[in-house]
Amino acid sequence: AQSVTQLDSQVPVFEEAPVELRCNYSSSVSVYLFWYVQYPNQGLQLLLKYLSGSTLVKGINGFEAEFNKSQTSFHLRKPSVHISDTAEYFCAVRVSGTYKYIFGTGTRLKVLA
Amino acid sequence: DAGVTQSPTHLIKTRGQQVTLRCSPKSGHDTVSWYQQALGQGPQFIFQYYEEEERQRGNFPDRFSGHQFPNYSSELNVNALLLGDSALYLCASRDRDRGTIWDTEAFFGQGTRLTVV
């Protein structure tokens, strides 16, 4: 079975500081990897995805993530955060050839002024 | 272009009642999935519809059922509501013109917040 672990439930960081949100997954088969962001009282918006190819993936709003197959990780990074980045971030996997996304429990990023 | 549209946005029901939630996918999208997001948790996959058939199902009881119409819109029905069914229900759709059904991302709606009292 597949699973996703987001070790940090909350990450406070000062504005303009760098941030890394950690995601580890467990799967014995090929997976696709995603990061979604959820603002209060809203649905999920895709930040970036890894399907194949380059392990460094760039997304919207200055975010990037690196796929590390040996460590089964897909950590999300941003070199300089803004107040507007305050939100809940979800890492997700989808097993190749299936429809089902498996989400982590989320990391609440709080950017402080 | 409207995104994934869900209705209603909020709903309060009593234990034992039945509820129907609705989803209209983005224009050009065909596959619809439903997720349940309990407070403080990540979304959990309920099921997915493609070409009006349920294609895959998560670990949810038969009280959860769905339907997809020829115009690709979808309904999620929950019977015999329990307090534990209180959650944000998210609908997601897929762009049928972007790659294969396997390698495109899901686009999510704003969700329907269901409260069971």
Side-chain angles (χ1 to χ4, degrees), chain B residues 55-67:
Chain B
R55 299 292 178 161
Q56 192 172 5
R57 189 178 182 92
N59 295 324
F60 280 81
D62 293 344
R63 298 186 298 108
F64 290 77
S65 63
H67 188 76

Side-chain angles (χ1 to χ4, degrees), chain A residues 2-72:
Chain A
Q2 295 74 38
S3 66
V4 176
T5 301
Q6 293 182 247
L7 289 171
D8 306 304
S9 59
Q10 293 189 62
V11 173
V13 62
F14 285 103
E15 193 174 19
E16 297 183 5
V19 70
E20 178 180 84
L21 305 184
R22 296 181 292 169
C23 173
N24 287 88
Y25 69 94
S26 173
S27 176
S28 59
V29 297
S30 296
V31 296
Y32 299 140
L33 296 158
F34 304 81
W35 275 98
Y36 281 86
V37 60
Q38 186 174 38
Y39 298 101
N41 300 315
Q42 294 193 23
L44 301 175
Q45 179 184 5
L46 180 71
L47 278 177
L48 47 79
K49 62 184 177 183
Y50 172 78
L51 303 180
S52 64
S54 173
T55 57
L56 182 63
V57 180
K58 293 190 182 297
I60 63 171
N61 301 340
F63 284 94
E64 64 179 33
E66 185 159 16
F67 170 56
N68 188 318
K69 188 174 182 179
S70 63
Q71 297 187 7
T72 60

Side-chain angles (χ1 to χ4, degrees), chain A residues 36 38 49 94 97 99 101, chain B residues 37 48 56 102 104-106:
Chain A
Y36 281 86
Q38 186 174 38
K49 62 184 177 183
R94 196 182 82 222
Y99 303 97
Y101 284 71
Chain B
Q37 185 180 14
Q48 180 161 34
Q56 192 172 5
W102 310 116
T104 57
E105 68 273 18

Side-chain angles (χ1 to χ4, degrees), chain A residues 70-113:
Chain A
S70 63
Q71 297 187 7
T72 60
S73 67
F74 190 54
H75 301 332
L76 181 70
R77 302 183 182 99
K78 186 170 182 177
S80 176
V81 295
H82 303 292
I83 295 288
S84 59
D85 292 323
T86 295
E88 189 90 21
Y89 291 80
F90 291 95
C91 180
V93 301
R94 196 182 82 222
V95 173
S96 178
T98 74
Y99 303 97
K100 177 182 175 181
Y101 284 71
I102 299 167
F103 286 85
T105 52
T107 296
R108 183 174 298 277
L109 174 64
K110 185 171 178 59
V111 180
L112 308 169

